[in-house]
Amino acid sequence: MITVNGKKEPFPEGMSVGEYMSRRNINPGEYIVVLNDEVIKPEDWAETPIRDGDELQILVMLGGG
Amino acid sequence: MNDPLVIGGRTLESRLFLGTGKFPANAMIPEVIRRSGAQVVTVALRRVDFEAQEENILNYIDRKNCILMPNTSGARNAAEAVKIARIARAAGCGNWVKIEVINDNRYLLPDNYETIKATEILAGEGFVVLPYMSPDLAAARALVEAGAAAVMPLGSPIGSNRGLKMKEMIRILIEEIELPVIVDAGLGRPSHAAEAMEMGAAAVLVNTAIATAEDPPGMAEAFSLAVRAGRLSYLAGSPEVSRYARASSPLTGFLRD
């Protein structure tokens, strides 16, 4: 299992961050991706594997005061 | 007027900082920024809600003309604030951060103790740290020691539009603290902003009062003018207040001896 934005999901075995995002129709640079507390830059998505037990956060900058 | 404000090595002409929450449409934000004249703009980091079709606010902010200041809203302690700040910087949002640590859901009052701890850690990592705080002199001194670039006391609770309820405490900070004092939160009218600037605040941060006005760009301009007026008044030196009248015209008339 992995955790994505706080929710458990089946482990997408053999997938990179890039492949996972592509499956969810997320384009590089659209959102901020944090894997186990580390920001993964868009240019590194394709080369970063997802491992069983990983915690993935998909974040966005919104309006705030 | 050559009266720049220098924070974190950056020279600012505008003393109005703008928050970007609660606007009826993101498309309005470029016009609001333009008419406010703001050069420092706050944003927030959140998990994507895939059902809400959320837009990246950065698409509406021209970073050539504005310094981004991500806030740490949602943090309930120093460790969470530090985590948010590090993510924002690693994601390319620059090194300015507004520390906001809040445990109180009713009044959204900041936790000064956790704020000081987060400030110390992040200033040590090279961030330009602007902490949102309750106006308390001991806490403000601790923030100076911790390496803050400015202190940002609340005028009244966030989004309340109640104005400068903490005025006397903020006045003490302005007198005693060497760093810029930026009044953040609760300023609901341009006149509130002018009042803060007249007493020597270095700047103000406004969000709700502009974002929820009927005409946000118009209100942005009104705040911009009020901030300038208040600053000019401060620089010009307000005369003292007197209990009794002091004639403005000569009382020695010619009608009587």
mmCIF file of all heavy atoms in Angstrom, chain B residues 190-233:
data_model
loop_
_atom_site.group_PDB
_atom_site.id
_atom_site.type_symbol
_atom_site.label_atom_id
_atom_site.label_comp_id
_atom_site.label_asym_id
_atom_site.label_seq_id
_atom_site.Cartn_x
_atom_site.Cartn_y
_atom_site.Cartn_z
ATOM 1 N N PRO B 190 -9.843 50.918 4.817
ATOM 2 C CA PRO B 190 -8.622 51.684 4.544
ATOM 3 C C PRO B 190 -8.247 52.601 5.712
ATOM 4 O O PRO B 190 -7.062 52.792 5.994
ATOM 5 C CB PRO B 190 -9.000 52.476 3.288
ATOM 6 C CG PRO B 190 -9.979 51.582 2.582
ATOM 7 C CD PRO B 190 -10.795 50.964 3.687
ATOM 8 N N SER B 191 -9.252 53.137 6.405
ATOM 9 C CA SER B 191 -8.946 54.026 7.542
ATOM 10 C C SER B 191 -8.194 53.272 8.647
ATOM 11 O O SER B 191 -7.347 53.851 9.343
ATOM 12 C CB SER B 191 -10.228 54.646 8.101
ATOM 13 O OG SER B 191 -11.168 53.650 8.435
ATOM 14 N N HIS B 192 -8.493 51.969 8.817
ATOM 15 C CA HIS B 192 -7.729 51.180 9.805
ATOM 16 C C HIS B 192 -6.256 51.097 9.387
ATOM 17 O O HIS B 192 -5.354 51.162 10.227
ATOM 18 C CB HIS B 192 -8.277 49.750 9.896
ATOM 19 C CG HIS B 192 -9.700 49.649 10.367
ATOM 20 N ND1 HIS B 192 -10.514 48.576 10.033
ATOM 21 C CD2 HIS B 192 -10.454 50.460 11.137
ATOM 22 C CE1 HIS B 192 -11.702 48.734 10.590
ATOM 23 N NE2 HIS B 192 -11.699 49.874 11.262
ATOM 24 N N ALA B 193 -6.050 50.893 8.089
ATOM 25 C CA ALA B 193 -4.670 50.779 7.592
ATOM 26 C C ALA B 193 -3.941 52.112 7.772
ATOM 27 O O ALA B 193 -2.771 52.150 8.185
ATOM 28 C CB ALA B 193 -4.676 50.370 6.123
ATOM 29 N N ALA B 194 -4.653 53.209 7.486
ATOM 30 C CA ALA B 194 -4.033 54.534 7.649
ATOM 31 C C ALA B 194 -3.655 54.765 9.111
ATOM 32 O O ALA B 194 -2.584 55.305 9.406
ATOM 33 C CB ALA B 194 -4.999 55.616 7.164
ATOM 34 N N GLU B 195 -4.525 54.339 9.998
ATOM 35 C CA GLU B 195 -4.270 54.506 11.442
ATOM 36 C C GLU B 195 -3.003 53.736 11.862
ATOM 37 O O GLU B 195 -2.166 54.250 12.612
ATOM 38 C CB GLU B 195 -5.491 53.984 12.211
ATOM 39 C CG GLU B 195 -5.481 54.261 13.688
ATOM 40 C CD GLU B 195 -6.724 53.689 14.383
ATOM 41 O OE1 GLU B 195 -7.521 52.969 13.732
ATOM 42 O OE2 GLU B 195 -6.868 53.953 15.577
ATOM 43 N N ALA B 196 -2.883 52.517 11.356
ATOM 44 C CA ALA B 196 -1.686 51.718 11.682
ATOM 45 C C ALA B 196 -0.428 52.391 11.155
ATOM 46 O O ALA B 196 0.595 52.474 11.844
ATOM 47 C CB ALA B 196 -1.830 50.309 11.101
ATOM 48 N N MET B 197 -0.508 52.894 9.926
ATOM 49 C CA MET B 197 0.672 53.520 9.324
ATOM 50 C C MET B 197 1.012 54.838 10.013
ATOM 51 O O MET B 197 2.184 55.175 10.191
ATOM 52 C CB MET B 197 0.447 53.766 7.828
ATOM 53 C CG MET B 197 0.236 52.516 6.998
ATOM 54 S SD MET B 197 1.562 51.288 7.124
ATOM 55 C CE MET B 197 2.941 52.197 6.442
ATOM 56 N N GLU B 198 -0.023 55.570 10.425
ATOM 57 C CA GLU B 198 0.203 56.861 11.093
ATOM 58 C C GLU B 198 0.954 56.699 12.386
ATOM 59 O O GLU B 198 1.697 57.582 12.814
ATOM 60 C CB GLU B 198 -1.149 57.527 11.398
ATOM 61 C CG GLU B 198 -1.568 58.516 10.365
ATOM 62 C CD GLU B 198 -2.793 59.299 10.818
ATOM 63 O OE1 GLU B 198 -3.769 58.659 11.252
ATOM 64 O OE2 GLU B 198 -2.748 60.532 10.723
ATOM 65 N N MET B 199 0.734 55.564 13.056
ATOM 66 C CA MET B 199 1.439 55.403 14.328
ATOM 67 C C MET B 199 2.814 54.766 14.158
ATOM 68 O O MET B 199 3.501 54.509 15.140
ATOM 69 C CB MET B 199 0.572 54.672 15.345
ATOM 70 C CG MET B 199 0.421 53.212 15.145
ATOM 71 S SD MET B 199 -0.534 52.584 16.570
ATOM 72 C CE MET B 199 -0.391 50.847 16.264
ATOM 73 N N GLY B 200 3.201 54.503 12.921
ATOM 74 C CA GLY B 200 4.574 54.088 12.686
ATOM 75 C C GLY B 200 4.761 52.650 12.271
ATOM 76 O O GLY B 200 5.903 52.166 12.216
ATOM 77 N N ALA B 201 3.663 51.943 11.969
ATOM 78 C CA ALA B 201 3.837 50.605 11.407
ATOM 79 C C ALA B 201 4.634 50.726 10.113
ATOM 80 O O ALA B 201 4.473 51.695 9.367
ATOM 81 C CB ALA B 201 2.478 49.956 11.134
ATOM 82 N N ALA B 202 5.490 49.726 9.848
ATOM 83 C CA ALA B 202 6.307 49.781 8.635
ATOM 84 C C ALA B 202 5.491 49.425 7.401
ATOM 85 O O ALA B 202 5.805 49.864 6.291
ATOM 86 C CB ALA B 202 7.477 48.810 8.766
ATOM 87 N N ALA B 203 4.458 48.592 7.602
ATOM 88 C CA ALA B 203 3.606 48.146 6.499
ATOM 89 C C ALA B 203 2.376 47.490 7.096
ATOM 90 O O ALA B 203 2.294 47.315 8.321
ATOM 91 C CB ALA B 203 4.366 47.152 5.604
ATOM 92 N N VAL B 204 1.422 47.148 6.224
ATOM 93 C CA VAL B 204 0.265 46.357 6.661
ATOM 94 C C VAL B 204 0.040 45.227 5.657
ATOM 95 O O VAL B 204 0.408 45.341 4.484
ATOM 96 C CB VAL B 204 -1.034 47.204 6.784
ATOM 97 C CG1 VAL B 204 -0.869 48.309 7.809
ATOM 98 C CG2 VAL B 204 -1.446 47.787 5.438
ATOM 99 N N LEU B 205 -0.560 44.161 6.141
ATOM 100 C CA LEU B 205 -0.935 43.044 5.269
ATOM 101 C C LEU B 205 -2.456 42.933 5.298
ATOM 102 O O LEU B 205 -3.045 42.816 6.368
ATOM 103 C CB LEU B 205 -0.285 41.741 5.746
ATOM 104 C CG LEU B 205 -0.245 40.580 4.745
ATOM 105 C CD1 LEU B 205 0.800 39.555 5.157
ATOM 106 C CD2 LEU B 205 -1.571 39.903 4.515
ATOM 107 N N VAL B 206 -3.065 42.996 4.120
ATOM 108 C CA VAL B 206 -4.527 43.001 4.033
ATOM 109 C C VAL B 206 -4.982 41.910 3.066
ATOM 110 O O VAL B 206 -4.396 41.735 1.996
ATOM 111 C CB VAL B 206 -5.037 44.375 3.543
ATOM 112 C CG1 VAL B 206 -6.563 44.383 3.469
ATOM 113 C CG2 VAL B 206 -4.552 45.498 4.461
ATOM 114 N N ASN B 207 -6.006 41.194 3.453
ATOM 115 C CA ASN B 207 -6.592 40.199 2.556
ATOM 116 C C ASN B 207 -8.117 40.307 2.528
ATOM 117 O O ASN B 207 -8.701 40.803 1.585
ATOM 118 C CB ASN B 207 -6.139 38.795 2.957
ATOM 119 C CG ASN B 207 -6.592 37.719 1.979
ATOM 120 O OD1 ASN B 207 -7.392 37.940 1.077
ATOM 121 N ND2 ASN B 207 -6.090 36.535 2.137
ATOM 122 N N THR B 208 -8.752 39.890 3.636
ATOM 123 C CA THR B 208 -10.214 39.775 3.644
ATOM 124 C C THR B 208 -10.914 41.066 3.225
ATOM 125 O O THR B 208 -11.873 41.032 2.446
ATOM 126 C CB THR B 208 -10.688 39.371 5.050
ATOM 127 O OG1 THR B 208 -10.089 38.117 5.361
ATOM 128 C CG2 THR B 208 -12.201 39.250 5.121
ATOM 129 N N ALA B 209 -10.452 42.194 3.740
ATOM 130 C CA ALA B 209 -11.162 43.456 3.482
ATOM 131 C C ALA B 209 -11.170 43.787 1.998
ATOM 132 O O ALA B 209 -12.124 44.397 1.497
ATOM 133 C CB ALA B 209 -10.521 44.590 4.277
ATOM 134 N N ILE B 210 -10.126 43.388 1.288
ATOM 135 C CA ILE B 210 -10.079 43.625 -0.156
ATOM 136 C C ILE B 210 -10.843 42.520 -0.894
ATOM 137 O O ILE B 210 -11.690 42.796 -1.744
ATOM 138 C CB ILE B 210 -8.609 43.715 -0.644
ATOM 139 C CG1 ILE B 210 -7.934 44.963 -0.045
ATOM 140 C CG2 ILE B 210 -8.535 43.723 -2.157
ATOM 141 C CD1 ILE B 210 -6.441 45.070 -0.325
ATOM 142 N N ALA B 211 -10.558 41.281 -0.531
ATOM 143 C CA ALA B 211 -11.111 40.141 -1.282
ATOM 144 C C ALA B 211 -12.626 40.061 -1.187
ATOM 145 O O ALA B 211 -13.279 39.581 -2.108
ATOM 146 C CB ALA B 211 -10.493 38.838 -0.783
ATOM 147 N N THR B 212 -13.183 40.499 -0.071
ATOM 148 C CA THR B 212 -14.635 40.352 0.113
ATOM 149 C C THR B 212 -15.383 41.676 -0.075
ATOM 150 O O THR B 212 -16.576 41.746 0.205
ATOM 151 C CB THR B 212 -14.952 39.745 1.496
ATOM 152 O OG1 THR B 212 -14.499 40.637 2.513
ATOM 153 C CG2 THR B 212 -14.277 38.394 1.677
ATOM 154 N N ALA B 213 -14.692 42.699 -0.560
ATOM 155 C CA ALA B 213 -15.381 43.956 -0.899
ATOM 156 C C ALA B 213 -16.254 43.739 -2.144
ATOM 157 O O ALA B 213 -16.030 42.790 -2.905
ATOM 158 C CB ALA B 213 -14.351 45.051 -1.167
ATOM 159 N N GLU B 214 -17.195 44.602 -2.351
ATOM 160 C CA GLU B 214 -18.018 44.470 -3.566
ATOM 161 C C GLU B 214 -17.174 44.642 -4.819
ATOM 162 O O GLU B 214 -17.419 44.007 -5.838
ATOM 163 C CB GLU B 214 -19.128 45.528 -3.556
ATOM 164 C CG GLU B 214 -20.293 45.123 -2.691
ATOM 165 C CD GLU B 214 -21.414 46.147 -2.773
ATOM 166 O OE1 GLU B 214 -21.570 46.787 -3.829
ATOM 167 O OE2 GLU B 214 -22.114 46.290 -1.757
ATOM 168 N N ASP B 215 -16.178 45.528 -4.724
ATOM 169 C CA ASP B 215 -15.297 45.789 -5.866
ATOM 170 C C ASP B 215 -13.853 45.610 -5.374
ATOM 171 O O ASP B 215 -13.211 46.578 -4.956
ATOM 172 C CB ASP B 215 -15.536 47.219 -6.367
ATOM 173 C CG ASP B 215 -14.515 47.657 -7.393
ATOM 174 O OD1 ASP B 215 -13.786 46.793 -7.948
ATOM 175 O OD2 ASP B 215 -14.410 48.877 -7.627
ATOM 176 N N PRO B 216 -13.344 44.391 -5.415
ATOM 177 C CA PRO B 216 -11.998 44.173 -4.847
ATOM 178 C C PRO B 216 -10.894 45.047 -5.461
ATOM 179 O O PRO B 216 -10.083 45.606 -4.702
ATOM 180 C CB PRO B 216 -11.766 42.682 -5.069
ATOM 181 C CG PRO B 216 -13.145 42.095 -5.028
ATOM 182 C CD PRO B 216 -14.003 43.118 -5.728
ATOM 183 N N PRO B 217 -10.838 45.219 -6.797
ATOM 184 C CA PRO B 217 -9.763 46.092 -7.303
ATOM 185 C C PRO B 217 -9.894 47.529 -6.777
ATOM 186 O O PRO B 217 -8.898 48.178 -6.455
ATOM 187 C CB PRO B 217 -9.952 46.036 -8.829
ATOM 188 C CG PRO B 217 -10.636 44.731 -9.081
ATOM 189 C CD PRO B 217 -11.569 44.561 -7.911
ATOM 190 N N GLY B 218 -11.119 48.015 -6.695
ATOM 191 C CA GLY B 218 -11.332 49.364 -6.162
ATOM 192 C C GLY B 218 -10.890 49.456 -4.708
ATOM 193 O O GLY B 218 -10.259 50.444 -4.305
ATOM 194 N N MET B 219 -11.221 48.447 -3.931
ATOM 195 C CA MET B 219 -10.812 48.463 -2.525
ATOM 196 C C MET B 219 -9.293 48.321 -2.391
ATOM 197 O O MET B 219 -8.680 48.919 -1.492
ATOM 198 C CB MET B 219 -11.526 47.343 -1.758
ATOM 199 C CG MET B 219 -11.316 47.391 -0.272
ATOM 200 S SD MET B 219 -11.872 48.950 0.487
ATOM 201 C CE MET B 219 -13.616 48.624 0.713
ATOM 202 N N ALA B 220 -8.678 47.593 -3.308
ATOM 203 C CA ALA B 220 -7.210 47.465 -3.289
ATOM 204 C C ALA B 220 -6.567 48.838 -3.465
ATOM 205 O O ALA B 220 -5.609 49.198 -2.767
ATOM 206 C CB ALA B 220 -6.753 46.504 -4.390
ATOM 207 N N GLU B 221 -7.116 49.620 -4.386
ATOM 208 C CA GLU B 221 -6.569 50.954 -4.617
ATOM 209 C C GLU B 221 -6.815 51.856 -3.406
ATOM 210 O O GLU B 221 -5.951 52.651 -3.013
ATOM 211 C CB GLU B 221 -7.187 51.565 -5.881
ATOM 212 C CG GLU B 221 -6.539 52.874 -6.250
ATOM 213 C CD GLU B 221 -6.996 53.400 -7.609
ATOM 214 O OE1 GLU B 221 -7.584 52.636 -8.400
ATOM 215 O OE2 GLU B 221 -6.741 54.593 -7.854
ATOM 216 N N ALA B 222 -8.004 51.706 -2.801
ATOM 217 C CA ALA B 222 -8.319 52.517 -1.610
ATOM 218 C C ALA B 222 -7.326 52.213 -0.487
ATOM 219 O O ALA B 222 -6.839 53.133 0.199
ATOM 220 C CB ALA B 222 -9.747 52.233 -1.158
ATOM 221 N N PHE B 223 -7.015 50.945 -0.294
ATOM 222 C CA PHE B 223 -6.028 50.594 0.739
ATOM 223 C C PHE B 223 -4.648 51.149 0.393
ATOM 224 O O PHE B 223 -3.908 51.611 1.264
ATOM 225 C CB PHE B 223 -5.968 49.071 0.931
ATOM 226 C CG PHE B 223 -6.855 48.583 2.046
ATOM 227 C CD1 PHE B 223 -8.119 48.106 1.778
ATOM 228 C CD2 PHE B 223 -6.429 48.605 3.369
ATOM 229 C CE1 PHE B 223 -8.951 47.662 2.798
ATOM 230 C CE2 PHE B 223 -7.254 48.166 4.401
ATOM 231 C CZ PHE B 223 -8.520 47.690 4.121
ATOM 232 N N SER B 224 -4.315 51.086 -0.888
ATOM 233 C CA SER B 224 -3.002 51.583 -1.305
ATOM 234 C C SER B 224 -2.856 53.069 -0.963
ATOM 235 O O SER B 224 -1.833 53.518 -0.414
ATOM 236 C CB SER B 224 -2.850 51.358 -2.807
ATOM 237 O OG SER B 224 -1.697 51.994 -3.274
ATOM 238 N N LEU B 225 -3.896 53.833 -1.269
ATOM 239 C CA LEU B 225 -3.866 55.277 -0.979
ATOM 240 C C LEU B 225 -3.832 55.531 0.525
ATOM 241 O O LEU B 225 -3.113 56.424 1.008
ATOM 242 C CB LEU B 225 -5.087 55.960 -1.604
ATOM 243 C CG LEU B 225 -5.102 55.986 -3.135
ATOM 244 C CD1 LEU B 225 -6.471 56.427 -3.656
ATOM 245 C CD2 LEU B 225 -4.003 56.897 -3.671
ATOM 246 N N ALA B 226 -4.600 54.734 1.281
ATOM 247 C CA ALA B 226 -4.649 54.916 2.735
ATOM 248 C C ALA B 226 -3.296 54.626 3.369
ATOM 249 O O ALA B 226 -2.858 55.327 4.297
ATOM 250 C CB ALA B 226 -5.724 54.006 3.338
ATOM 251 N N VAL B 227 -2.647 53.591 2.864
ATOM 252 C CA VAL B 227 -1.328 53.239 3.405
ATOM 253 C C VAL B 227 -0.331 54.355 3.115
ATOM 254 O O VAL B 227 0.460 54.750 3.984
ATOM 255 C CB VAL B 227 -0.856 51.879 2.826
ATOM 256 C CG1 VAL B 227 0.622 51.637 3.093
ATOM 257 C CG2 VAL B 227 -1.702 50.747 3.423
ATOM 258 N N ARG B 228 -0.399 54.902 1.923
ATOM 259 C CA ARG B 228 0.510 56.014 1.578
ATOM 260 C C ARG B 228 0.204 57.247 2.422
ATOM 261 O O ARG B 228 1.105 57.921 2.916
ATOM 262 C CB ARG B 228 0.399 56.361 0.092
ATOM 263 C CG ARG B 228 1.037 55.293 -0.788
ATOM 264 C CD ARG B 228 1.210 55.782 -2.202
ATOM 265 N NE ARG B 228 2.072 56.943 -2.258
ATOM 266 C CZ ARG B 228 1.919 57.948 -3.126
ATOM 267 N NH1 ARG B 228 0.932 57.926 -3.992
ATOM 268 N NH2 ARG B 228 2.756 58.954 -3.115
ATOM 269 N N ALA B 229 -1.088 57.520 2.585
ATOM 270 C CA ALA B 229 -1.476 58.698 3.389
ATOM 271 C C ALA B 229 -1.002 58.533 4.824
ATOM 272 O O ALA B 229 -0.442 59.467 5.430
ATOM 273 C CB ALA B 229 -2.994 58.879 3.340
ATOM 274 N N GLY B 230 -1.212 57.357 5.390
ATOM 275 C CA GLY B 230 -0.794 57.102 6.765
ATOM 276 C C GLY B 230 0.711 57.212 6.925
ATOM 277 O O GLY B 230 1.218 57.772 7.904
ATOM 278 N N ARG B 231 1.426 56.705 5.951
ATOM 279 C CA ARG B 231 2.891 56.766 6.013
ATOM 280 C C ARG B 231 3.380 58.220 5.918
ATOM 281 O O ARG B 231 4.265 58.643 6.678
ATOM 282 C CB ARG B 231 3.488 55.922 4.876
ATOM 283 C CG ARG B 231 5.001 55.915 4.841
ATOM 284 C CD ARG B 231 5.585 55.232 6.045
ATOM 285 N NE ARG B 231 7.049 55.305 6.050
ATOM 286 C CZ ARG B 231 7.810 54.899 7.056
ATOM 287 N NH1 ARG B 231 7.267 54.373 8.140
ATOM 288 N NH2 ARG B 231 9.122 55.004 6.999
ATOM 289 N N LEU B 232 2.798 58.976 4.979
ATOM 290 C CA LEU B 232 3.179 60.391 4.837
ATOM 291 C C LEU B 232 2.891 61.151 6.124
ATOM 292 O O LEU B 232 3.683 61.989 6.559
ATOM 293 C CB LEU B 232 2.422 61.025 3.674
ATOM 294 C CG LEU B 232 2.952 60.713 2.280
ATOM 295 C CD1 LEU B 232 1.956 61.174 1.218
ATOM 296 C CD2 LEU B 232 4.311 61.377 2.064
ATOM 297 N N SER B 233 1.764 60.842 6.741
ATOM 298 C CA SER B 233 1.398 61.502 7.989
ATOM 299 C C SER B 233 2.412 61.176 9.078
ATOM 300 O O SER B 233 2.857 62.056 9.825
ATOM 301 C CB SER B 233 -0.005 61.046 8.406
ATOM 302 O OG SER B 233 -0.280 61.417 9.723
#
